[in-house]
Amino acid sequence: MKKYLIFLLVLLLAIGAVSATGGFEDMLNELDSFAELDVNFTDSDTNVTVGDYNFTIPKGFGAIDMLSVNVSENNDSQNVKFFTNSNHDMITISLSSSDNINETIYNYITDDGSCENATIAGHDGIKWNNETYSIFAFQDNNSVIVLQAPDDTYFEKMIN
C-alpha cells in the first residue's frame, strides 16, 4: 500500500493539486489503513477513457476505482485513474483541463529527477524518470495529460 501512496503523492505534487500540509498527511494515513484494494486484473490490453481521451492499459493491470478522481467545476476539470498489476506496479493517467491551462508543461513536472523533452506517439512533451517510475506529460489544446508508468517503455502503447 505504501507504494501506491508514494505514487499518489508524486502525481498530486506533479500536477500541482496539493501542498504538503498536515491535512495531506492525514489523507495519506487514512489511505494507508485500507487493507486491500479491489482490483480486477485484465487478461488483455484494455482501452480506457479519461475525460475526452482514450488510452490503452496493458494486460495484467486493473483499475483501482476507489482512488479515481473525477472533479468538474465551471470549465475546469481534473480526472485521474490509477491501475496496478499483481506485482504492485502502478500506471496513472491524469487529465487536467481548463481555459487557463499554464502555458508551459514544465509546471507539471517535479524538480526531483532528470527531465527531458520527448515526443511520444506524436505528442511533444516532457519525460521524467527516477528509479521506480517514469512520467510523461504533454499538452493538447486546453488539457495537460500526465502519464505515470513503471518505465517509459509503456507510454508508446498507452497513448492512442
Side-chain angles (χ1 to χ4, degrees):
M1 183 56 128
K2 291 277 188 201
K3 190 173 187 177
Y4 300 118
L5 298 177
I6 291 169
F7 286 120
L8 179 61
L9 173 63
V10 169
L11 177 68
L12 291 174
L13 290 175
I15 60 176
V18 296
S19 61
T21 66
F24 187 66
E25 283 183 32
D26 293 342
M27 183 184 82
L28 289 178
N29 290 335
E30 183 179 324
L31 284 174
D32 197 28
S33 67
F34 292 114
E36 287 289 323
L37 298 173
D38 186 24
V39 177
N40 293 317
F41 304 112
T42 62
D43 293 334
S44 61
D45 292 350
T46 305
N47 292 322
V48 298
T49 300
V50 180
D52 294 332
Y53 295 85
N54 296 314
F55 300 93
T56 300
I57 303 301
K59 77 177 192 175
F61 282 82
I64 308 172
D65 292 326
M66 66 188 290
L67 295 180
S68 292
V69 174
N70 187 5
V71 178
S72 224
E73 184 177 329
N74 300 324
N75 290 332
D76 299 340
S77 66
Q78 177 71 43
N79 301 32
V80 184
K81 290 195 179 188
F82 298 89
F83 304 86
T84 189
N85 63 13
S86 60
N87 294 327
H88 304 291
D89 294 326
M90 187 84 151
I91 290 176
T92 306
I93 301 171
S94 172
L95 172 66
S96 300
S97 297
S98 174
D99 291 337
N100 299 315
I101 285 292
N102 294 330
E103 293 297 318
T104 176
I105 197 71
Y106 287 96
N107 293 337
Y108 294 88
I109 300 295
T110 65
D111 293 334
D112 182 29
S114 63
C115 178
E116 63 186 61
N117 292 325
T119 300
I120 300 176
H123 297 280
D124 294 330
I126 303 299
K127 187 171 61 170
W128 179 83
N129 300 296
N130 77 9
E131 295 175 9
T132 56
Y133 58 90
S134 295
I135 292 175
F136 178 64
F138 62 96
Q139 187 170 346
D140 185 43
N141 297 318
N142 290 334
S143 296
V144 173
I145 297 94
V146 181
L147 306 175
Q148 178 185 307
D151 61 62
D152 56 12
T153 62
Y154 285 77
F155 299 138
E156 189 78 32
K157 185 174 192 170
M158 289 173 61
I159 300 171
N160 293 333

